[in-house]
mmCIF file of all heavy atoms in Angstrom:
data_model
loop_
_atom_site.group_PDB
_atom_site.id
_atom_site.type_symbol
_atom_site.label_atom_id
_atom_site.label_comp_id
_atom_site.label_asym_id
_atom_site.label_seq_id
_atom_site.Cartn_x
_atom_site.Cartn_y
_atom_site.Cartn_z
ATOM 1 N N LEU A 23 7.992 3.405 -6.077
ATOM 2 C CA LEU A 23 6.969 2.563 -5.459
ATOM 3 C C LEU A 23 6.143 1.779 -6.476
ATOM 4 O O LEU A 23 5.645 0.689 -6.165
ATOM 5 C CB LEU A 23 6.039 3.424 -4.599
ATOM 6 C CG LEU A 23 6.659 4.018 -3.323
ATOM 7 C CD1 LEU A 23 5.686 4.969 -2.659
ATOM 8 C CD2 LEU A 23 7.077 2.918 -2.349
ATOM 9 N N LEU A 24 6.008 2.303 -7.670
ATOM 10 C CA LEU A 24 5.110 1.679 -8.644
ATOM 11 C C LEU A 24 5.824 0.880 -9.732
ATOM 12 O O LEU A 24 5.181 0.129 -10.459
ATOM 13 C CB LEU A 24 4.229 2.749 -9.298
ATOM 14 C CG LEU A 24 3.295 3.524 -8.353
ATOM 15 C CD1 LEU A 24 2.493 4.543 -9.145
ATOM 16 C CD2 LEU A 24 2.363 2.571 -7.606
ATOM 17 N N ASN A 25 7.121 1.014 -9.844
ATOM 18 C CA ASN A 25 7.822 0.384 -10.965
ATOM 19 C C ASN A 25 8.989 -0.499 -10.543
ATOM 20 O O ASN A 25 9.976 -0.619 -11.266
ATOM 21 C CB ASN A 25 8.322 1.474 -11.939
ATOM 22 C CG ASN A 25 7.188 2.269 -12.548
ATOM 23 O OD1 ASN A 25 6.266 1.718 -13.138
ATOM 24 N ND2 ASN A 25 7.239 3.573 -12.384
ATOM 25 N N ASN A 26 8.858 -1.112 -9.365
ATOM 26 C CA ASN A 26 9.939 -1.975 -8.885
ATOM 27 C C ASN A 26 9.420 -3.313 -8.354
ATOM 28 O O ASN A 26 9.865 -3.802 -7.321
ATOM 29 C CB ASN A 26 10.750 -1.246 -7.798
ATOM 30 C CG ASN A 26 11.692 -0.220 -8.385
ATOM 31 O OD1 ASN A 26 12.728 -0.562 -8.970
ATOM 32 N ND2 ASN A 26 11.334 1.043 -8.257
ATOM 33 N N GLY A 27 8.456 -3.869 -9.058
ATOM 34 C CA GLY A 27 8.007 -5.214 -8.722
ATOM 35 C C GLY A 27 6.792 -5.264 -7.829
ATOM 36 O O GLY A 27 6.371 -4.264 -7.231
ATOM 37 N N ILE A 28 6.230 -6.469 -7.741
ATOM 38 C CA ILE A 28 4.975 -6.672 -7.025
ATOM 39 C C ILE A 28 5.097 -6.415 -5.531
ATOM 40 O O ILE A 28 4.194 -5.852 -4.906
ATOM 41 C CB ILE A 28 4.441 -8.109 -7.278
ATOM 42 C CG1 ILE A 28 3.062 -8.284 -6.631
ATOM 43 C CG2 ILE A 28 5.432 -9.138 -6.788
ATOM 44 C CD1 ILE A 28 1.996 -7.390 -7.216
ATOM 45 N N PHE A 29 6.237 -6.778 -4.939
ATOM 46 C CA PHE A 29 6.385 -6.596 -3.488
ATOM 47 C C PHE A 29 6.479 -5.116 -3.117
ATOM 48 O O PHE A 29 5.956 -4.687 -2.082
ATOM 49 C CB PHE A 29 7.618 -7.363 -2.987
ATOM 50 C CG PHE A 29 7.464 -8.848 -3.070
ATOM 51 C CD1 PHE A 29 8.169 -9.585 -4.012
ATOM 52 C CD2 PHE A 29 6.588 -9.526 -2.223
ATOM 53 C CE1 PHE A 29 8.008 -10.962 -4.105
ATOM 54 C CE2 PHE A 29 6.423 -10.893 -2.312
ATOM 55 C CZ PHE A 29 7.135 -11.621 -3.257
ATOM 56 N N THR A 30 7.148 -4.350 -3.972
ATOM 57 C CA THR A 30 7.222 -2.904 -3.728
ATOM 58 C C THR A 30 5.841 -2.277 -3.838
ATOM 59 O O THR A 30 5.468 -1.400 -3.053
ATOM 60 C CB THR A 30 8.184 -2.230 -4.731
ATOM 61 O OG1 THR A 30 9.451 -2.873 -4.666
ATOM 62 C CG2 THR A 30 8.355 -0.755 -4.415
ATOM 63 N N LYS A 31 5.041 -2.754 -4.832
ATOM 64 C CA LYS A 31 3.682 -2.233 -4.985
ATOM 65 C C LYS A 31 2.823 -2.579 -3.770
ATOM 66 O O LYS A 31 1.998 -1.773 -3.333
ATOM 67 C CB LYS A 31 3.043 -2.792 -6.249
ATOM 68 C CG LYS A 31 3.622 -2.215 -7.533
ATOM 69 C CD LYS A 31 2.888 -2.762 -8.751
ATOM 70 C CE LYS A 31 3.451 -2.161 -10.036
ATOM 71 N NZ LYS A 31 2.765 -2.679 -11.237
ATOM 72 N N MET A 32 3.026 -3.770 -3.214
ATOM 73 C CA MET A 32 2.285 -4.147 -2.008
ATOM 74 C C MET A 32 2.664 -3.246 -0.839
ATOM 75 O O MET A 32 1.807 -2.819 -0.054
ATOM 76 C CB MET A 32 2.567 -5.614 -1.677
ATOM 77 C CG MET A 32 1.974 -6.598 -2.681
ATOM 78 S SD MET A 32 2.514 -8.307 -2.382
ATOM 79 C CE MET A 32 1.826 -8.599 -0.751
ATOM 80 N N GLY A 33 3.952 -2.959 -0.749
ATOM 81 C CA GLY A 33 4.403 -2.040 0.304
ATOM 82 C C GLY A 33 3.822 -0.649 0.117
ATOM 83 O O GLY A 33 3.449 0.020 1.083
ATOM 84 N N ALA A 34 3.737 -0.235 -1.150
ATOM 85 C CA ALA A 34 3.176 1.079 -1.446
ATOM 86 C C ALA A 34 1.721 1.168 -1.002
ATOM 87 O O ALA A 34 1.269 2.204 -0.510
ATOM 88 C CB ALA A 34 3.289 1.367 -2.944
ATOM 89 N N ALA A 35 0.977 0.075 -1.179
ATOM 90 C CA ALA A 35 -0.428 0.050 -0.761
ATOM 91 C C ALA A 35 -0.546 0.207 0.754
ATOM 92 O O ALA A 35 -1.469 0.850 1.257
ATOM 93 C CB ALA A 35 -1.085 -1.242 -1.218
ATOM 94 N N ILE A 36 0.415 -0.379 1.484
ATOM 95 C CA ILE A 36 0.380 -0.307 2.948
ATOM 96 C C ILE A 36 0.641 1.111 3.437
ATOM 97 O O ILE A 36 -0.007 1.598 4.368
ATOM 98 C CB ILE A 36 1.412 -1.284 3.542
ATOM 99 C CG1 ILE A 36 1.008 -2.733 3.206
ATOM 100 C CG2 ILE A 36 1.537 -1.092 5.047
ATOM 101 C CD1 ILE A 36 2.054 -3.761 3.598
ATOM 102 N N VAL A 37 1.613 1.792 2.796
ATOM 103 C CA VAL A 37 1.982 3.133 3.260
ATOM 104 C C VAL A 37 1.188 4.230 2.544
ATOM 105 O O VAL A 37 1.432 5.416 2.767
ATOM 106 C CB VAL A 37 3.493 3.391 3.066
ATOM 107 C CG1 VAL A 37 4.311 2.373 3.834
ATOM 108 C CG2 VAL A 37 3.869 3.372 1.583
ATOM 109 N N SER A 38 0.238 3.836 1.725
ATOM 110 C CA SER A 38 -0.531 4.809 0.938
ATOM 111 C C SER A 38 -1.162 5.928 1.769
ATOM 112 O O SER A 38 -1.095 7.098 1.379
ATOM 113 C CB SER A 38 -1.613 4.090 0.133
ATOM 114 O OG SER A 38 -2.398 5.006 -0.586
ATOM 115 N N PRO A 39 -1.796 5.622 2.934
ATOM 116 C CA PRO A 39 -2.392 6.711 3.722
ATOM 117 C C PRO A 39 -1.369 7.766 4.139
ATOM 118 O O PRO A 39 -1.666 8.964 4.115
ATOM 119 C CB PRO A 39 -2.962 5.976 4.941
ATOM 120 C CG PRO A 39 -3.229 4.595 4.444
ATOM 121 C CD PRO A 39 -2.102 4.302 3.509
ATOM 122 N N SER A 40 -0.161 7.326 4.503
ATOM 123 C CA SER A 40 0.882 8.270 4.897
ATOM 124 C C SER A 40 1.333 9.106 3.711
ATOM 125 O O SER A 40 1.611 10.306 3.835
ATOM 126 C CB SER A 40 2.082 7.524 5.490
ATOM 127 O OG SER A 40 1.711 6.823 6.649
ATOM 128 N N LEU A 41 1.406 8.477 2.544
ATOM 129 C CA LEU A 41 1.838 9.197 1.346
ATOM 130 C C LEU A 41 0.804 10.247 0.943
ATOM 131 O O LEU A 41 1.160 11.291 0.401
ATOM 132 C CB LEU A 41 2.075 8.217 0.199
ATOM 133 C CG LEU A 41 3.227 7.232 0.405
ATOM 134 C CD1 LEU A 41 3.344 6.296 -0.791
ATOM 135 C CD2 LEU A 41 4.537 7.982 0.625
ATOM 136 N N LYS A 42 -0.468 9.952 1.189
ATOM 137 C CA LYS A 42 -1.502 10.940 0.881
ATOM 138 C C LYS A 42 -1.325 12.187 1.736
ATOM 139 O O LYS A 42 -1.565 13.303 1.285
ATOM 140 C CB LYS A 42 -2.889 10.334 1.101
ATOM 141 C CG LYS A 42 -3.297 9.333 0.028
ATOM 142 C CD LYS A 42 -4.690 8.782 0.292
ATOM 143 C CE LYS A 42 -5.088 7.770 -0.795
ATOM 144 N NZ LYS A 42 -6.432 7.197 -0.530
ATOM 145 N N GLY A 43 -0.888 11.985 2.981
ATOM 146 C CA GLY A 43 -0.616 13.124 3.857
ATOM 147 C C GLY A 43 0.529 13.962 3.331
ATOM 148 O O GLY A 43 0.495 15.197 3.389
ATOM 149 N N LEU A 44 1.551 13.294 2.800
ATOM 150 C CA LEU A 44 2.687 14.002 2.212
ATOM 151 C C LEU A 44 2.253 14.793 0.988
ATOM 152 O O LEU A 44 2.645 15.953 0.805
ATOM 153 C CB LEU A 44 3.784 12.999 1.831
ATOM 154 C CG LEU A 44 5.059 13.567 1.211
ATOM 155 C CD1 LEU A 44 5.771 14.464 2.210
ATOM 156 C CD2 LEU A 44 5.975 12.436 0.747
ATOM 157 N N LYS A 45 1.429 14.169 0.150
ATOM 158 C CA LYS A 45 0.935 14.849 -1.047
ATOM 159 C C LYS A 45 0.089 16.060 -0.664
ATOM 160 O O LYS A 45 0.170 17.119 -1.301
ATOM 161 C CB LYS A 45 0.108 13.874 -1.895
ATOM 162 C CG LYS A 45 -0.404 14.487 -3.192
ATOM 163 C CD LYS A 45 -1.203 13.471 -4.000
ATOM 164 C CE LYS A 45 -1.715 14.097 -5.290
ATOM 165 N NZ LYS A 45 -2.519 13.131 -6.084
ATOM 166 N N LYS A 46 -0.720 15.912 0.393
ATOM 167 C CA LYS A 46 -1.571 17.009 0.833
ATOM 168 C C LYS A 46 -0.743 18.191 1.315
ATOM 169 O O LYS A 46 -1.093 19.354 1.094
ATOM 170 C CB LYS A 46 -2.504 16.533 1.953
ATOM 171 C CG LYS A 46 -3.500 17.596 2.420
ATOM 172 C CD LYS A 46 -4.420 17.051 3.497
ATOM 173 C CE LYS A 46 -5.406 18.123 3.955
ATOM 174 N NZ LYS A 46 -6.306 17.611 5.017
#
């Protein structure tokens, strides 16, 4: 999510809340 270009990073920002749930 963080090392594959600007568009991937933008996508990562969108799904960030869901990823926080996974991390939790």
